Amino acid sequence: MENIARQQISINLEVMDMLNQQIAKEQHSSSVYLAMASWCDQRGLERSASFFYRQSVEEREHMMKIFAFINNSGGSAYSPDVTNIAHEYASLKEVFELALQQEISVTQSIYKIVAKCRKVNDFGTENFLQWFVEEQMEEEQSIRDILDMFDLMGDAPLKLIDERIPKE
Ligand code: FEO
């Protein structure tokens, strides 16, 4: 029966497997950002902590968007295991550099799924993923702007840098 149900779903099966891997990546991002928020919070870097608490919630929302899309299309979404979350960082700048790497990796992963959708004519999923393509561009840009600010402020006290982290 399970195989018949899978044959009737509107998502290409290989694409669905990639979407399930993406669910795990989004949940991993959420947990990474939660750890970063905690590191910042413990050091009184309030704006940075708020930034990463917000990011953590957003990544969980991304995960849930894909989760719902798979199940609403007749597929099977899987709740991911989350492992290997670092809790120590060398500096606040390193935290943001790692966050940018995380986002670049997620963007590349989304692009791979879009490319697969085109190859197998899964236009529904490609259309669904357009929101993620735009979201990734915005997220990368916001972290790049913060890293530019680090460069501009040079050796300024961390508190002063933290006060310039965007509120929204
Ligand atoms: Fe949902 Fe920014 O990765």
Side-chain angles (χ1 to χ4, degrees), residues 20-158:
N20 266 310
Q21 288 165 24
Q22 190 65 34
I23 282 174
K25 283 192 170 68
E26 302 288 349
Q27 185 57 55
H28 185 258
S29 292
S30 177
S31 297
V32 166
Y33 292 149
L34 192 58
M36 289 174 169
S38 183
W39 187 93
C40 296
D41 210 348
Q42 290 165 41
R43 286 157 181 81
L45 301 166
E46 290 171 20
R47 289 279 196 101
S48 301
S50 297
F51 179 88
F52 285 112
Y53 280 127
R54 246 180 2 254
Q55 286 302 119
S56 178
V57 170
E58 280 188 20
E59 297 304 342
R60 181 174 163 79
E61 288 170 357
H62 297 172
M63 190 266 286
M64 290 307 298
K65 250 182 205 284
I66 303 172
F67 210 89
F69 176 75
I70 292 176
N71 282 340
N72 290 340
S73 303
S76 306
Y78 294 110
S79 179
D81 287 331
V82 181
T83 54
N84 294 328
I85 304 299
H87 287 88
E88 290 303 324
Y89 306 97
S91 64
L92 184 61
K93 190 177 182 194
E94 185 191 76
V95 170
F96 281 98
E97 285 170 343
L98 290 171
L100 180 57
Q101 277 179 25
Q102 181 79 17
E103 288 305 323
I104 289 171
S105 151
V106 169
T107 302
Q108 288 171 346
S109 176
I110 295 279
Y111 286 0
K112 273 188 197 156
I113 309 174
V114 171
K116 180 72 178 177
C117 288
R118 289 185 182 168
K119 206 169 164 188
V120 298
N121 294 341
D122 187 342
F123 303 121
T125 305
E126 182 184 349
N127 186 51
F128 164 73
L129 288 173
Q130 283 313 301
W131 183 89
F132 286 85
V133 170
E134 285 174 30
E135 178 73 8
Q136 281 310 118
M137 287 175 75
E138 282 174 22
E139 288 191 332
E140 280 191 30
Q141 185 62 51
S142 77
I143 301 175
R144 283 183 214 280
D145 288 347
I146 290 169
L147 285 169
D148 284 347
M149 189 261 294
F150 270 90
D151 288 342
L152 281 173
M153 295 195 61
D155 295 329
L158 263 190

